[in-house]
Amino acid sequence: MARAMVLQTDFGTCDGAVSAMYGVAMGVSPDLRIFDLTHEIPPYDIWEASYRLIQTLSYWPEGTVFVSVVDPGVGTDRLSVVVRTANNRYVVTPDNGTLTHVMRMAGVAEARVIDERVNRLEGSDASYTFYGRDVYAYTGARLAAGIIDFAGVGPSIDPDALVRLPVVEPRFDGETLTGTIDVLDVRFGSLWTNISREQFAQLGVSVGERVEVTIEDGTRTVYQNLLTYAHSFADVFVGEAMVYVNSLDCMAVAINQGSFAKAYGIGTGGTWRLSLRKASATERE
C-alpha cells in the first residue's frame, strides 16, 4: 500500500500549479493518497514553511512523505533534497532553510540529494522554474509509491551540511524570560513564541496568576501589560488578552475571540521579542 504524501507550497489555489503537482503524482501512481498541509504560505516565506512542517509532521504516520515547495531560489545552484527524520518521516524540499525546525525539533537521521537524471518528470529537462511539479512532486510520489526506496533518491549528504535559518534561542536572566514570536496562529491572530512550557515553568507562575508581557520590535516597545496565565480561552472574558500553552507546548498570547496581532500590529521573526515576567505581589493586587 502506498504511503501518504502531504503537500505544502506558497502557490495558493487560484491557478493550476497545485493541481499540476497532483496530476504528476497521480501519473506516477493512481493509488497514491495525497493530502494538503497548506498552500497559503506567504510567498517566498521559508521561515513560515519550516514552522508549518514541524507543526504537522509528527502527527502523520511513519513513512509519510512531505513535499514542501517554497523556493525563491528556484533555478539556482541550491540543492534539492530528501531527508528522513529521526521519527521516520520524509521531507522533499529545496535545501534553503525549510528544514530548520525539523532539524531542531524532530532531528534528521539521513539526507540525500535528488538525482535529477532519474528523479525528474520526463520531458521537463529544459524547464527550471517549476521544480515543485517536475522534481519534488515527482520524486515524492515515486518514494511514497515505493517505486524507489530512500537510497534511490540520490547520493547521501551530511545532514549537518543542510542550510539552517538563524534562530534566536530563549534566554532567562533569573527574573525575565525572553523569546521570539516565531509565527502567528494565522486565522485567529494569536502569537506563538519559541518559549517552551518547561522554560516558562522557571518563572513559577501558576494558572490564574498574572504575567507581565512585553513585546518589542528591535528597540521599539510595542506592547506591555499584565495578563492572566490561563488554561484555555474560557478562563478570561471575551476581548481579554491572556497567556497560554499552545498546541506545540510553547507559550502563546491571544485575545479571547479577537486578534492580538491585528489589535497591536504584531509581526513575526527574529526581531520580534516577547518577554515574560511574574507579576509582583503588588502588581497582582
Side-chain angles (χ1 to χ4, degrees), residues 108-130:
V108 170
E110 299 179 81
R112 292 182 176 274
V113 177
I114 296 175
D115 183 351
E116 295 182 26
R117 295 172 300 176
V118 292
N119 292 311
R120 186 181 179 111
L121 180 65
E122 185 177 354
S124 70
D125 305 69
S127 174
Y128 292 91
T129 60
F130 199 176

Short mmCIF file of all heavy atoms in Angstrom, two decimals, residues 108-130:
data_model
loop_
_atom_site.label_atom_id
_atom_site.label_comp_id
_atom_site.label_asym_id
_atom_site.label_seq_id
_atom_site.Cartn_x
_atom_site.Cartn_y
_atom_site.Cartn_z
N VAL A 108 17.13 15.01 12.02
CA VAL A 108 17.27 14.41 10.70
C VAL A 108 18.27 13.27 10.79
O VAL A 108 19.42 13.47 11.18
CB VAL A 108 17.73 15.45 9.65
CG1 VAL A 108 18.11 14.77 8.35
CG2 VAL A 108 16.62 16.48 9.41
N ALA A 109 17.82 12.07 10.44
CA ALA A 109 18.69 10.89 10.52
C ALA A 109 19.55 10.74 9.28
O ALA A 109 20.73 10.34 9.37
CB ALA A 109 17.84 9.63 10.71
N GLU A 110 18.98 11.04 8.09
CA GLU A 110 19.70 10.89 6.83
C GLU A 110 19.23 11.96 5.86
O GLU A 110 18.09 12.42 5.93
CB GLU A 110 19.42 9.52 6.19
CG GLU A 110 19.82 8.31 6.99
CD GLU A 110 19.46 7.04 6.25
OE1 GLU A 110 20.23 6.64 5.34
OE2 GLU A 110 18.39 6.47 6.55
N ALA A 111 20.11 12.30 4.92
CA ALA A 111 19.76 13.26 3.88
C ALA A 111 20.37 12.83 2.56
O ALA A 111 21.49 12.29 2.52
CB ALA A 111 20.27 14.66 4.24
N ARG A 112 19.63 13.05 1.47
CA ARG A 112 20.11 12.70 0.13
C ARG A 112 19.76 13.81 -0.85
O ARG A 112 18.69 14.45 -0.74
CB ARG A 112 19.50 11.38 -0.34
CG ARG A 112 20.00 10.18 0.44
CD ARG A 112 19.44 8.86 -0.05
NE ARG A 112 20.03 7.75 0.69
CZ ARG A 112 21.17 7.15 0.39
NH1 ARG A 112 21.84 7.54 -0.71
NH2 ARG A 112 21.64 6.16 1.11
N VAL A 113 20.65 14.04 -1.80
CA VAL A 113 20.41 15.00 -2.89
C VAL A 113 19.64 14.28 -3.98
O VAL A 113 19.97 13.14 -4.35
CB VAL A 113 21.74 15.54 -3.44
CG1 VAL A 113 21.49 16.47 -4.63
CG2 VAL A 113 22.51 16.27 -2.35
N ILE A 114 18.61 14.92 -4.52
CA ILE A 114 17.82 14.30 -5.58
C ILE A 114 18.65 14.20 -6.86
O ILE A 114 19.19 15.20 -7.34
CB ILE A 114 16.54 15.10 -5.85
CG1 ILE A 114 15.63 15.08 -4.61
CG2 ILE A 114 15.79 14.55 -7.05
CD1 ILE A 114 14.40 15.96 -4.73
N ASP A 115 18.75 13.00 -7.38
CA ASP A 115 19.43 12.76 -8.65
C ASP A 115 18.41 12.99 -9.77
O ASP A 115 17.57 12.16 -10.05
CB ASP A 115 19.96 11.33 -8.69
CG ASP A 115 20.75 11.03 -9.96
OD1 ASP A 115 20.75 11.87 -10.89
OD2 ASP A 115 21.35 9.94 -10.03
N GLU A 116 18.50 14.16 -10.40
CA GLU A 116 17.51 14.54 -11.41
C GLU A 116 17.65 13.74 -12.71
O GLU A 116 16.76 13.80 -13.57
CB GLU A 116 17.60 16.03 -11.70
CG GLU A 116 17.23 16.89 -10.50
CD GLU A 116 17.28 18.36 -10.81
OE1 GLU A 116 17.12 18.74 -12.00
OE2 GLU A 116 17.50 19.17 -9.88
N ARG A 117 18.73 12.99 -12.85
CA ARG A 117 18.86 12.16 -14.04
C ARG A 117 17.80 11.05 -14.06
O ARG A 117 17.39 10.60 -15.13
CB ARG A 117 20.26 11.55 -14.12
CG ARG A 117 21.37 12.57 -14.31
CD ARG A 117 22.73 11.91 -14.18
NE ARG A 117 22.89 11.29 -12.86
CZ ARG A 117 23.97 10.58 -12.51
NH1 ARG A 117 24.95 10.39 -13.37
NH2 ARG A 117 24.04 10.06 -11.29
N VAL A 118 17.36 10.64 -12.86
CA VAL A 118 16.35 9.58 -12.77
C VAL A 118 15.07 10.06 -12.09
O VAL A 118 14.00 9.51 -12.32
CB VAL A 118 16.90 8.35 -12.02
CG1 VAL A 118 17.97 7.67 -12.84
CG2 VAL A 118 17.45 8.72 -10.64
N ASN A 119 15.18 11.08 -11.24
CA ASN A 119 14.03 11.56 -10.47
C ASN A 119 13.60 12.94 -10.96
O ASN A 119 13.66 13.93 -10.23
CB ASN A 119 14.37 11.59 -8.98
CG ASN A 119 14.56 10.20 -8.41
OD1 ASN A 119 13.72 9.33 -8.62
ND2 ASN A 119 15.66 9.99 -7.71
N ARG A 120 13.19 12.97 -12.21
CA ARG A 120 12.66 14.19 -12.80
C ARG A 120 11.63 13.81 -13.85
O ARG A 120 11.84 12.86 -14.62
CB ARG A 120 13.78 15.04 -13.43
CG ARG A 120 13.28 16.38 -13.93
CD ARG A 120 14.38 17.21 -14.57
NE ARG A 120 13.81 18.46 -15.04
CZ ARG A 120 14.06 19.67 -14.53
NH1 ARG A 120 14.90 19.78 -13.52
NH2 ARG A 120 13.47 20.74 -15.00
N LEU A 121 10.53 14.55 -13.89
CA LEU A 121 9.45 14.26 -14.83
C LEU A 121 9.98 14.25 -16.26
O LEU A 121 10.66 15.19 -16.69
CB LEU A 121 8.35 15.32 -14.69
CG LEU A 121 7.14 15.17 -15.60
CD1 LEU A 121 6.36 13.91 -15.26
CD2 LEU A 121 6.25 16.41 -15.47
N GLU A 122 9.67 13.20 -17.00
CA GLU A 122 10.14 13.07 -18.37
C GLU A 122 9.64 14.24 -19.21
O GLU A 122 8.48 14.64 -19.14
CB GLU A 122 9.63 11.76 -18.98
CG GLU A 122 10.17 11.48 -20.37
CD GLU A 122 9.71 10.14 -20.92
OE1 GLU A 122 9.05 9.39 -20.16
OE2 GLU A 122 10.00 9.86 -22.09
N GLY A 123 10.56 14.82 -19.99
CA GLY A 123 10.22 15.92 -20.87
C GLY A 123 10.32 17.29 -20.25
O GLY A 123 10.02 18.29 -20.91
N SER A 124 10.73 17.36 -18.96
CA SER A 124 10.80 18.66 -18.28
C SER A 124 12.21 19.21 -18.17
O SER A 124 12.43 20.23 -17.51
CB SER A 124 10.21 18.54 -16.87
OG SER A 124 11.05 17.76 -16.02
N ASP A 125 13.16 18.56 -18.83
CA ASP A 125 14.58 18.89 -18.63
C ASP A 125 14.95 20.32 -18.98
O ASP A 125 15.89 20.89 -18.43
CB ASP A 125 15.46 17.93 -19.45
CG ASP A 125 15.17 16.49 -19.12
OD1 ASP A 125 14.06 16.02 -19.47
OD2 ASP A 125 16.03 15.83 -18.54
N ALA A 126 14.21 20.93 -19.88
CA ALA A 126 14.55 22.29 -20.31
C ALA A 126 13.91 23.36 -19.44
O ALA A 126 14.17 24.55 -19.61
CB ALA A 126 14.12 22.50 -21.77
N SER A 127 13.08 22.95 -18.46
CA SER A 127 12.37 23.90 -17.61
C SER A 127 13.04 24.00 -16.25
O SER A 127 13.34 22.97 -15.62
CB SER A 127 10.91 23.47 -17.42
OG SER A 127 10.25 24.30 -16.50
N TYR A 128 13.26 25.22 -15.77
CA TYR A 128 13.93 25.42 -14.50
C TYR A 128 13.13 26.33 -13.56
O TYR A 128 13.69 26.91 -12.64
CB TYR A 128 15.34 25.99 -14.72
CG TYR A 128 16.26 25.00 -15.36
CD1 TYR A 128 16.38 24.94 -16.75
CD2 TYR A 128 16.97 24.08 -14.60
CE1 TYR A 128 17.21 24.01 -17.36
CE2 TYR A 128 17.80 23.14 -15.20
CZ TYR A 128 17.91 23.11 -16.58
OH TYR A 128 18.73 22.18 -17.18
N THR A 129 11.83 26.45 -13.78
CA THR A 129 11.02 27.34 -12.96
C THR A 129 9.91 26.66 -12.20
O THR A 129 9.23 27.30 -11.41
CB THR A 129 10.39 28.45 -13.85
OG1 THR A 129 9.56 27.84 -14.84
CG2 THR A 129 11.46 29.31 -14.51
N PHE A 130 9.70 25.34 -12.40
CA PHE A 130 8.62 24.65 -11.70
C PHE A 130 9.13 23.32 -11.16
O PHE A 130 8.63 22.26 -11.49
CB PHE A 130 7.43 24.44 -12.63
CG PHE A 130 6.13 24.17 -11.91
CD1 PHE A 130 4.94 24.05 -12.61
CD2 PHE A 130 6.08 24.00 -10.52
CE1 PHE A 130 3.74 23.79 -11.97
CE2 PHE A 130 4.89 23.75 -9.86
CZ PHE A 130 3.72 23.64 -10.59
#
